[in-house]
Amino acid sequence: MSRVYNFSAGPSMLPLPVLEQAQREMLDYNGSGMSVMEMSHRSKVYDEIIKTAEADIRELMNIPENYKVMFLQGGGHTQFAMVPLNLRRNGKADYVKTGQWAKKAAAEAGKYLDVNVVASSEDKTYSYIPDLDPAKFTKDADYFYICYNNTIYGTRYTKLPEVGNVPLVADISSNIMSEVMDVSKFGLLFAGAQKNVGPAGVTIAIVREDLLGNAMDITPTMLDYKIHADAESLYNTPPCYAIYVAGLVFKWLKKEIGGVAAMQKINEEKAAILYNYLDESKMFRGTVVAKDRSLMNVPFVTDDDDLNAKFIKEATAAGFVNLKGHRTVGGMRASIYNAMPVEGVKALVEFMKKFETDNK
Ligand SMILES: *Cc1c(COP(=O)(O)O)cnc(C)c1O
């Protein structure tokens, strides 16, 4: 077996013990004589899987009692519509434009309510988190929306906006369970699983209870959070297998890593190894202002497109794959999610050092 170091932005690598356990349980899950893929979502054995997965998310993220946790489908993109459809009251919402995902979310919300873009970092290719001026906030906004970690551009909020009583909504697709978050500061959090906690196909939504039950009349049943919350994510057939694998990731995070705070420490260590080298390198440099650097997604460049291409080609051949940057930034991007071990980042930096020496 040969496994590569996979720096994909998503879907991305999963912890090896999780894949091995899924493999062991593939044909006969826990004495049921069948795969999790083959069992009824209404069966007792599956109920245990989904209930345990929810309990583990609650424990890992320290989610207060008055929040519902849902397993949904449709990815982050469906949340871009579900948020305004469900939270609309006065017909206004504030958005901070920090990249493609925030921009897309704002455009989708614009179909249902008035979007006020309170700040943007588009002027510098989203390479920083913009300062926020509370005077620009809408006082009676239905919610205030941020993309917490910007997967494509490699920025993250290190301090949350102060929005008073307006519910704070955050897309945490690329940093869920990578760092400690105070859930009580948010009205709603959502994440597609495929970056940090599981396979594509399941989306986790965490919603404060008082925000449920006011969906717009036109809201399709499947896009109403309350329907899914009341049915405990079993209104219709959920993405059963993806939830099962995510559940294995939660167990790994609890038992092997020791929880989200311990994970954050490891992630900070990994990020520091890479950023420290980028700061001292004469060939490579990071593209993001230092104070807003993501722990998960690290874009970097050389000043020569041919050299970037050569680096990606040689890195791939050496087993460091999916390092090509997003087309809007160019260069490279290393996504170092929870499942990427410290050794993977160390090995990448060693490879970069050698490349720098060889190509002086
Ligand atoms: C990947 C990503 C999305 C898009 O998710 P899909 O599941 O492909 O719809 C949205 N937001 C962020 C922050 C992402 O990283």
Side-chain angles (χ1 to χ4, degrees), residues 19 25 46 48 52 74 76 108 111 136-137 151 164 172 177 190 199 207 226 245 263 265-267 270 296 298 301 319:
L19 296 174
E25 295 175 343
Y46 191 74
E48 167 90 24
T52 305
E108 190 72 9
K111 295 181 179 178
K136 295 205 174 129
F137 297 2
T151 325
I172 55 168
M177 295 186 193
F190 69 83
V207 187
K226 184 145 197 324
V245 177
M263 190 73 251
K265 268 216 168 106
I266 297 170
N267 286 332
K270 278 155 38 184
M296 297 282 97
V298 184
V301 294

Side-chain angles (χ1 to χ4, degrees), residues 9 74-78 80 101 147 149-151 171-174 190 192 194-195 203 337:
H77 280 82
T78 300
F80 298 165
W101 299 125
C147 181
N149 181 77
N150 294 279
T151 325
D171 177 353
I172 55 168
S173 292
S174 52
F190 69 83
Q194 71 271 22
K195 312 279 165 62
T203 305
Y337 296 119

Side-chain angles (χ1 to χ4, degrees), residues 180-196:
V180 175
M181 294 176 189
D182 181 353
V183 173
S184 72
K185 291 224 152 65
F186 299 87
L188 191 157
L189 292 161
F190 69 83
Q194 71 271 22
K195 312 279 165 62
N196 232 344

